[in-house]
Structures are given as C-alpha cells and as structure tokens.
Amino acid sequence: MAVQINPSILSADFSRLAEEARAVEGADWLHVDVMDNHFVPNLTLGVPIVESLSRATDTPLDCHLMIEDPDRWAPQYVEAGAGSVTFHAEAAAAPVRLAREIRAKGARASMALKPATPIEPYEDLLPELDMLLIMTVEPGFGGQAFLDIMLPKIRRTRELIAKHGLELWLQVDGGVSDTTIERCAEAGADVFVAGSAVYGASDPAEAVRALRAKADGACRH
C-alpha cells in the first residue's frame, strides 16, 4: 500500500486559504470538507471555494461531501476542479449511478460511512469505487477524538477489499494524529486525513512528512 496524507483545509485559517493550501504542497491531496448544516450540524465550504482552491494550488482536491442530496451536487464538484469526490452512503439515493457519473466526469469516486454504518451491506458496491472512507469520528466538526472502536471496521473493510482483489484506497478521517495514525495503518488504511495535526503544527509541511513516516513504518511492519 502506498501511504497518502491528505491535510484537511477545515483546520486551516479560512481568511488565507490559498496560502494554507500552498503550505502543504508536499501532501498527496488537499481534503476539502463540504458541510450543508442539514446532513451534519455545521456549514462550511461550497462549489465557489473549491473552484478558487483548484486555481490556487497544484495539490489535487479531495472533496468530502457531508451533504444531503449528493446525487444532485457531487457532479458539480468535479466540474469545479475536484480530483476525488466522496459522497456518504447514508445520503446517496443511487450510489452506484452516482459513482459512475463521478468517474465519467473524470474524478475518482469515493463513498463514506459514518461510524455506526457497517461496511458489509455495501460489499457488492466496492468494485464501483476508487476509495472508501471510514469515518473515525462523527462527521460535522474537526478536532474530535479518534474512535478506537473503528479499528475492527477498518480491518474488516481491508479484508473485503483483498477478498475481491480490488485496488481500492481505504481512507480514514477523524482524530488522525501522530498518536493514532500507526494504528490506522496497521488496521489496513492507506489514505489519512489529518486536520489539526497538520494545520495546528508550527510547520504544516513537516507535520505531513512526520505523519507519512509513521504510517509508512506501520505499513511495512
């Protein structure tokens, strides 16, 4: 597995997003949390900000849609410049059709699961995806503590991916830090979203490098 580190812009200074995006250009992706104050109790960024970010950085954008009706809105994020778009299984009316539409528009298609949503009912959908996101906190707010009870779910998901012989990225989001990333990697994750662990550091680029080293070490182990 190739480790990928995706800093979450949710923890950045919103008054200087272009600078904050450039501060982590050694990262693999820039994670953009889109919240609508309906699916989750918070309101953040939308299509115009994604369009602006796509022009401000060469780092590809990984948009995580915590919104209602992603079937309608997700394709617009591809058009705005996102290289990867994640919709929630709990919100999508037709996840297979949506994943295929995202892919047809030229982006990677990803599906997210809240902590209480099991992976097993979605096993047959895995070949339609490029990435699966296991939330390791309840979606809606940054800075939450990592939920250790999600580690068995990460392991089960990795087993299902291996069972079907898929080249599917397994992303974790929520409470990922220098004290939790190794456990996530050992459980089978290979894409890591980190917000405050990166943007709360005095040197965000160095924080990305340190997180990558820890995850790499755990994967080799």
Side-chain angles (χ1 to χ4, degrees), residues 5-67:
I5 305 296
N6 300 12
S8 171
I9 204 77
L10 183 65
S11 296
D13 181 348
F14 278 23
S15 70
R16 39 195 294 273
L17 283 182
E19 295 170 54
E20 296 282 66
R22 288 191 288 269
V24 294
E25 287 189 339
D28 299 282
W29 297 78
L30 187 65
H31 191 80
V32 182
D33 291 297
V34 178
M35 307 183 194
D36 64 358
N37 199 32
H38 294 286
F39 182 70
V40 293
N42 198 2
L43 184 65
T44 58
L45 311 172
V47 169
I49 299 297
V50 171
E51 289 176 337
S52 296
L53 279 172
S54 70
R55 294 192 297 268
T57 179
D58 292 330
T59 306
L61 303 183
D62 168 31
C63 288
H64 176 193
L65 307 186
M66 289 167 273
I67 63 174

Side-chain angles (χ1 to χ4, degrees), residues 163-181:
K163 171 185 172 181
H164 292 279
L166 300 173
E167 293 184 5
L168 182 68
W169 297 351
L170 180 52
Q171 185 180 66
V172 289
D173 180 3
V176 175
S177 68
D178 59 351
T179 62
T180 61
I181 194 167

Side-chain angles (χ1 to χ4, degrees), residues 112-125:
L113 303 178
K114 289 183 176 182
T117 303
I119 177 58
E120 287 78 10
Y122 298 98
E123 179 178 353
D124 291 343
L125 273 66

Side-chain angles (χ1 to χ4, degrees), residues 1-6 28-29 60-62 83-86 103 107-111 126 129-134 157-158 161 166-172 188-192:
M1 297 184 295
V3 165
Q4 299 183 65
I5 305 296
N6 300 12
D28 299 282
W29 297 78
L61 303 183
D62 168 31
S84 175
V85 177
T86 300
R103 281 175 153 180
R108 296 180 65 86
S110 171
M111 187 173 72
L126 295 180
L129 303 170
D130 298 297
M131 181 170 73
L132 189 81
L133 166 56
I134 301 294
T157 303
R158 176 54 66 190
I161 292 169
L166 300 173
E167 293 184 5
L168 182 68
W169 297 351
L170 180 52
Q171 185 180 66
V172 289
D190 53 3
V191 185
F192 306 88

